[in-house]
Amino acid sequence: MKISLHLLTSLTLTQLFITLIVFVHCVESTYYCSTAGGVDPCTLAETLYEPYARTGNCEYNGVYAPCDRYITPGWYKSDDLVLDNCPVLNSCGAVYPIWMNGTFPQVADGVVSRTLCKTGFGGCCVRQYDLQIKNCGTSYVYCLPALDSCPERLCFGTNGTCEYPTTVAITTTVAITTTAVVDSTVSLREYRNLKTRYVVAIVAVILLVISLSGFATLMSFCYIKKRRKDREISQSRVELATDETGVESNGSPPHLHFQPK
């Protein structure tokens, strides 16, 4: 009974954890990729964050060190298509390039879900991210997430110029980027706060389930112990009654044993 209870508890916790993780991912995607109210991502999309040196032929440049960790999750557009095949390490202007593992949708498909893969030392898909994509007829728009770490970067296009902004442009770009980061910090903070709230909710639910399962196990143990004790008391009473009446449990008089002299 204990084994069955522990097995049931383990299965329940595993299923609950998987369900909650899927729920959190769905909520995150809905939060930044929502098209509620008839909003069309084709008109909503902004120009891609740091569009330079994102093609597959561009190696990582440690001086500029571009990264998509601080990108504000939302809809973006690009002149180049997101890369749909596995790039090598140290390409797309990053050490760990990110590419789309899937096919491009048709116009009639509307907004569809795809998977982004991170190329790493362990293979072409050592980490996955959710991607929303829509075919706008003449171009595609993408709801992009903020990546986990640097230097990770999304790939767009296979061949292109790998030039970074000049020194003068860099100064201007830094100023603009600084402003953009300050402005996007609020959105990023909201994003992380939302994620934190759901993580806390997940932990609270898991702790509640563990507490309930522990309580159920304790009650089961106490019940089994009580039944065993009642059985022992009942057996003791039968033996005591037999000793007092001198009659065995089957109703026959006790056997007398004589020792020969």
Side-chain angles (χ1 to χ4, degrees):
M1 182 175 181
K2 290 183 180 180
I3 296 177
S4 300
L5 185 60
H6 286 305
L7 179 60
L8 179 61
T9 303
S10 300
L11 290 175
T12 303
L13 289 176
T14 303
Q15 293 171 353
L16 177 64
F17 182 74
I18 293 174
T19 302
L20 290 175
I21 290 297
V22 172
F23 174 73
V24 169
H25 280 291
C26 291
V27 169
E28 289 177 358
S29 299
T30 303
Y31 185 71
Y32 280 104
C33 302
S34 175
T35 55
V39 176
D40 186 5
C42 296
T43 58
L44 182 69
E46 300 178 0
T47 303
L48 185 62
Y49 172 76
E50 293 183 346
Y52 47 82
R54 285 186 177 271
T55 52
N57 62 306
C58 296
E59 295 184 355
Y60 174 66
N61 189 317
V63 176
Y64 297 92
C67 178
D68 285 342
R69 180 181 181 183
Y70 301 105
I71 188 173
T72 301
W75 288 99
Y76 290 90
K77 57 186 176 182
S78 174
D79 294 333
D80 296 310
L81 296 177
V82 64
L83 203 62
D84 61 344
N85 54 75
C86 179
V88 297
L89 287 169
N90 196 34
S91 61
C92 304
V95 175
Y96 306 106
I98 308 294
W99 59 286
M100 182 182 73
N101 186 7
T103 58
F104 289 93
Q106 301 297 319
V107 175
D109 296 333
V111 177
V112 298
S113 298
R114 292 291 185 265
T115 299
L116 291 173
C117 280
K118 169 185 173 180
T119 298
F121 291 101
C124 286
C125 202
V126 298
R127 169 75 167 90
Q128 294 184 353
Y129 297 94
D130 292 329
L131 171 70
Q132 300 286 318
I133 180 174
K134 182 180 181 181
N135 187 335
C136 297
T138 57
S139 62
Y140 292 88
V141 292
Y142 315 87
C143 186
L144 304 176
L147 304 182
D148 286 344
S149 60
C150 293
E152 295 181 17
R153 204 169 186 231
L154 288 146
C155 295
F156 283 86
T158 54
N159 289 288
T161 177
C162 300
E163 295 180 1
Y164 287 84
T166 61
T167 306
V168 176
I170 288 174
T171 305
T172 306
T173 303
V174 169
I176 295 173
T177 304
T178 303
T179 305
V181 170
V182 172
D183 292 338
S184 65
T185 301
V186 177
S187 298
L188 191 59
R189 187 182 297 115
E190 292 176 356
Y191 171 75
R192 289 174 177 170
N193 287 342
L194 176 70
K195 191 171 184 178
T196 301
R197 287 197 296 271
Y198 283 103
V199 169
V200 170
I202 289 173
V203 173
V205 172
I206 291 176
L207 290 176
L208 178 62
V209 172
I210 292 175
S211 300
L212 292 176
S213 63
F215 178 74
T217 303
L218 179 62
M219 293 299 294
S220 175
F221 175 76
C222 293
Y223 176 75
I224 294 173
K225 187 175 181 181
K226 184 177 182 302
R227 287 290 302 273
R228 185 179 300 168
K229 187 175 181 180
D230 291 343
R231 193 180 300 112
E232 292 175 354
I233 293 174
S234 177
Q235 186 175 357
S236 298
R237 288 177 178 174
V238 171
E239 292 176 354
L240 181 61
T242 301
D243 293 339
E244 291 178 351
T245 58
V247 179
E248 293 185 349
S249 58
N250 58 5
S252 303
H255 295 286
L256 299 178
H257 301 281
F258 297 94
Q259 295 291 339
K261 294 183 179 180

